[in-house]
Amino acid sequence: MKLETILKLVEGVVVTQSELEGEINFGLTSDLMSDVLTLDIDDAMLITGLNNLQTIRTAEMSDIHCVLIARNKKVSKEMIDLANQSNIVIIESPFGVFKVSGILYAKNIKPAY
Amino acid sequence: MQLNYSIEGGDFTNAGNASSQVKKILKKLNVDPKITRRVVVALYEAEVNVAAHAYRGEIIVDINTERIRVVLKDEGPGIESIENAMTEGFSTASAEVRQMGFGAGMGLPNINKNADELNIKSDVGVGTELEIITKLK
């Protein structure tokens, strides 16, 4: 799925300058970063309510290039800077993680686990 | 090639800096991305462990054509039972660490999963030394 399509579906806004290469085919929803770090596929997006620097660090280590921060939480400048350095796209969405996950799952984004 | 980094206990802003640097270097060295991910995931979990539990620590990353050897030495409380620490779900992490998305008792099991060889030495009240070896071939 293209990033633009995801943004429409989740009423999302991109807050980074990074470019997403290719499409998103898999998703995982977690606030537990050790869980995210067990991922072994490349084209997954992370849907999370955990809004801190380690969320972006975890994405970097796991080769996740798209992170959606749910429920209208505003990401910090440090997170945006780190995401830009690591070529990670951050999306802010007003929806909760359950709603975002449900919408994307219904549109055929496959579970990463 | 040898790389050295230091970690401060409790510093969650910089936890992950070393892993990030190592990832960039492995990419430049054209290491297979899947091997790189195993190395940096293990290193990152270990870095977070030092920030979460120890007072300070150092990281030595030694790379040759056969393997990547990562050693993390910390000064800290040490691990009372390595067997417990290796059990998924066992954790002594603080509420602060849990708020960062860690502390679910998956760190050492995750490191073990991503390492070809993992050696742990720990003295209670002194510190812990982790050796993580990942083969390149």
Side-chain angles (χ1 to χ4, degrees):
Chain A
M1 185 181 286
K2 287 196 166 62
L3 179 63
E4 297 80 63
T5 312
I6 293 172
L7 294 177
K8 273 186 202 154
L9 289 168
V10 303
E11 296 183 12
V13 177
V14 172
V15 294
T16 44
Q17 277 89 52
S18 309
E19 295 281 334
L20 188 69
E21 290 166 20
E23 298 195 357
I24 299 287
N25 295 308
F26 293 90
L28 72 159
T29 303
S30 184
D31 288 348
L32 180 56
M33 296 302 106
S34 284
D35 238 353
V36 177
L37 287 164
T38 62
L39 187 73
D40 54 10
I41 52 173
D42 290 332
D43 49 355
M45 74 181 281
L46 168 64
I47 299 156
T48 185
L50 190 77
N51 183 24
N52 67 43
L53 205 54
Q54 297 309 328
T55 309
I56 308 305
R57 282 272 181 233
T58 298
E60 182 191 0
M61 301 313 153
S62 308
D63 295 325
I64 289 171
H65 296 288
C66 184
V67 176
L68 184 146
I69 307 287
R71 279 194 71 197
N72 247 342
K73 290 175 183 165
K74 301 297 169 201
V75 301
S76 66
K77 185 182 175 301
E78 288 77 16
M79 288 169 71
I80 292 172
D81 289 346
L82 183 61
N84 284 333
Q85 283 167 33
S86 311
N87 204 30
I88 292 168
V89 173
I90 305 179
I91 303 170
E92 287 176 353
S93 167
F95 302 161
V97 291
F98 182 79
K99 186 168 176 179
V100 169
S101 307
I103 289 169
L104 296 180
Y105 182 80
K107 292 287 181 183
N108 241 354
I109 295 287
K110 297 177 200 75
Y113 297 115
Chain B
M1 179 190 274
Q2 189 172 307
L3 310 161
N4 296 277
Y5 305 93
S6 59
I7 323 168
E8 283 300 311
D11 183 359
F12 289 104
T13 304
N14 290 308
N17 270 352
S19 309
S20 185
Q21 297 300 320
V22 169
K23 184 170 186 183
K24 289 186 180 87
I25 289 162
L26 296 184
K27 194 175 177 187
K28 273 191 195 154
L29 293 172
N30 280 326
V31 173
D32 180 313
K34 286 201 185 306
I35 295 175
T36 297
R37 179 149 69 199
R38 295 180 70 215
V39 171
V40 299
V41 164
L43 174 55
Y44 178 52
E45 285 276 18
E47 233 189 309
V48 169
N49 270 351
V50 173
H53 297 286
Y55 315 129
R56 67 192 64 80
E58 59 169 328
I59 303 171
I60 302 155
V61 181
D62 181 52
I63 305 166
N64 68 21
T65 54
E66 303 286 317
R67 55 101 187 99
I68 298 170
R69 177 174 174 265
V70 178
V71 176
L72 295 101
K73 290 182 198 171
D74 74 48
E75 292 170 37
I79 302 171
E80 278 189 25
S81 163
I82 290 172
E83 194 185 339
N84 282 349
M86 290 298 292
T87 307
E88 253 184 53
F90 179 87
S91 178
T92 58
S94 66
E96 188 196 4
V97 174
R98 289 170 201 266
Q99 278 167 14
M100 300 298 296
F102 292 91
M106 291 175 70
L108 277 175
N110 235 355
I111 293 168
N112 194 34
K113 194 190 115 192
N114 283 290
D116 288 315
E117 192 181 328
L118 171 64
N119 298 305
I120 308 173
K121 283 186 278 185
S122 191
D123 286 326
V124 173
V126 180
T128 300
E129 183 175 328
L130 235 66
E131 181 188 43
I132 304 164
I133 296 172
T134 311
K135 290 177 189 156
L136 289 171
K137 290 175 183 170

